[in-house]
Amino acid sequence: MDRLANTVRPYAWGSTTAIPELLGVEPTGAPQAEMWMGAHPGAPSRIDRGAGPVSLAEVIDAAPEAELGAETVRAFGPRLPFLLKLLAAGSPLSLQVHPDLAQAKEGFADEERRGVPMDAGHRNYKDANHKPELICALTPFDGLCGFRHPARAADLLEGLGVDDLKPYVDILRASPEESALREVLTAVLTAEHDAIADTVERAATAAGRLGAEDGPHAADYAAYAAIAHHYPGDPGVLAAMLLNHIQLQPGEALFLGAGIPHAYLSGLGVELMANSDNVLRCGLTPKHVDVPELLRIVRFEAGDPAVLRPEAINGEETYETPIDEFRLSRFVLAPGAAPRPLEARTPQVLLCTAGTVRLASATSPDLTLAPGASAFVPAGERITLSGDGSLFRATVVA
């Protein structure tokens, strides 16, 4: 097993304090949005096996079956199929969706065929993989996830009292679910810029007023007013009002599959995803929004978000998801308890989020993990866990 040295990404929406507080270091004053743990080429972790630091991606490339195990290589190829992150949102992330595997392969091949540069601002597909993801809250965590039922979205928009929103309200009330959501989202994202910006500003003002009152949608209105504060005039603010506002408590999680529009608004969480960087944006961003491609990918299905709570089996609390590229679980260790054995035929990344956790192995030096520290365990290596703390485990479904 190897201690990981990880990169913190300084995206503008990141919290300036959440990750430093977890790591027990002084904030720099700059945003610290995500800490990546894994072998993604954008920011691979580094390990040191005695010859100096080296990229985990390079170590895996040199001996994929030894590091990942034969089963993982057969199922997903010679690369770590998941990426684990600490995510700290100080302001809203872009409203976005991810493609399914077939869409990703098709979109990537098309852009490669057309010669779209990989670093082009209008490039949608950075790879040929899908990007399902799971976010587990470490602190109270606010987000948007999936479409509201059209009637509920109509009630919310109508309550703002903005005349320019009435056509959208009428569509949401009169049309079938899928066509209503598609028509309103399309209208918002393709509207003339100055006109929609003015509508957004008036809707944001009303949301701010209603969010400060004691009404049935006060928390929702307050969230949308906060989004508009960060992205004034952005049509994504109205698009966001079509989505469910959800507040996770520590330990609760959300799974986000292909085509589900979502955005994270605030809070610290552990995020686990397939090893991909494919994002189609809907708004709340200065970056490129490819409306036709977005509308091809979005699933116009309404429903209430399913909040995941872990299922405990033999002391391991697992968050069940419908995909095989990753599985997230958590151990809460008590002082004085017997060491807990942990062995898998698949690769593992372990992340301590509270207290102190000790990892012992017959084939590697022991490691002690403090909050924010992490380790890579190659396939097949048997370790034991002990200590007084919380440990998240990312691995592959075997």
Side-chain angles (χ1 to χ4, degrees):
M1 60 185 173
D2 306 276
R3 183 181 296 276
L4 295 177
N6 304 307
T7 298
V8 176
R9 310 305 294 264
Y11 305 135
W13 49 261
S15 168
T16 59
T17 59
I19 289 179
E21 285 178 1
L22 183 70
L23 297 176
V25 300
E26 286 295 319
T28 64
Q32 298 189 37
E34 296 180 348
M35 186 174 78
W36 290 21
M37 291 157 279
H40 191 284
S45 301
R46 301 182 72 80
I47 64 174
D48 188 343
R49 293 182 175 174
V54 62
S55 161
L56 179 59
E58 294 177 7
V59 172
I60 292 172
D61 286 346
E65 288 204 3
E67 303 295 337
L68 304 178
E71 293 181 19
T72 300
V73 172
R74 279 196 300 270
F76 307 109
R79 66 191 189 108
L80 189 66
F82 60 80
L83 175 63
L84 184 66
K85 298 180 181 180
L86 275 174
L87 184 146
S91 59
L93 283 68
S94 62
L95 189 60
Q96 59 190 256
V97 297
H98 306 302
D100 64 26
L101 188 57
Q103 291 165 340
K105 289 180 177 179
E106 180 184 348
F108 181 76
D110 175 65
E111 291 188 331
E112 289 289 278
R113 186 167 53 250
R114 291 190 287 117
V116 180
M118 190 62 69
D119 59 355
H122 63 286
R123 174 114 190 186
N124 294 315
Y125 297 95
K126 302 298 178 66
D127 52 68
N129 200 17
H130 62 167
K131 192 186 177 187
E133 59 190 41
L134 178 75
I135 184 73
C136 179
L138 293 179
T139 67
F141 196 96
D142 271 24
L144 306 173
C145 177
F147 286 108
R148 292 177 182 271
H149 290 283
R152 296 180 190 173
D155 290 343
L156 193 77
L157 293 178
E158 189 172 44
L160 293 168
V162 176
D163 289 343
D164 288 349
L165 297 178
K166 188 176 185 306
Y168 305 147
V169 171
D170 292 342
I171 294 168
L172 291 167
R173 293 204 191 285
S175 301
E177 176 181 289
E178 181 177 349
S179 60
L181 295 170
R182 179 183 292 275
E183 188 173 349
V184 172
L185 183 63
T186 302
V188 166
L189 296 182
T190 58
E192 193 273 327
H193 178 269
D194 289 343
I196 199 69
D198 180 66
T199 302
V200 168
E201 288 303 305
R202 285 185 283 121
T205 299
R209 183 184 71 254
L210 293 167
E213 298 176 357
D214 190 23
H217 300 296
D220 293 336
Y221 284 133
Y224 297 125
I227 292 170
H229 171 75
H230 291 285
Y231 298 98
D234 191 314
V237 174
L238 297 183
M241 291 182 180
L242 300 175
L243 306 186
N244 297 293
H245 172 223
I246 189 164
Q247 296 175 299
L248 300 177
Q249 295 306 307
E252 295 180 335
L254 277 178
F255 173 74
L256 298 158
I260 303 300
H262 62 278
Y264 303 142
L265 305 181
S266 65
L268 177 67
V270 173
E271 186 180 33
L272 182 58
M273 63 184 61
N275 199 1
S276 172
D277 199 24
N278 286 326
V279 176
L280 280 298
R281 295 176 177 85
C282 312
L284 310 184
T285 177
K287 295 181 179 179
H288 176 63
V289 176
D290 185 337
V291 175
E293 185 65 8
L294 169 73
L295 296 174
R296 190 178 76 88
I297 298 302
V298 171
R299 291 170 53 189
F300 290 96
E301 300 173 2
D304 298 325
V307 175
L308 299 179
R309 296 174 181 87
E311 299 180 13
I313 301 176
N314 297 325
E316 182 176 15
E317 303 174 345
T318 301
Y319 295 88
E320 294 294 341
T321 62
I323 51 101
D324 294 336
E325 279 93 336
F326 61 75
R327 186 184 73 172
L328 184 70
S329 59
R330 180 179 65 177
F331 295 90
V332 179
L333 304 172
R340 181 179 301 278
L342 189 61
E343 183 176 12
R345 300 188 306 274
T346 55
Q348 304 175 73
V349 174
L350 306 178
L351 167 67
C352 177
T353 57
T356 301
V357 177
R358 290 182 292 278
L359 312 181
S361 168
T363 57
S364 305
D366 293 357
L367 296 177
T368 299
L369 302 183
S374 57
F376 172 72
V377 183
E381 182 170 355
R382 186 178 189 277
I383 66 172
T384 59
L385 311 176
S386 60
D388 179 13
S390 296
L391 184 85
F392 280 86
R393 177 194 190 201
T395 188
V396 177
V397 177

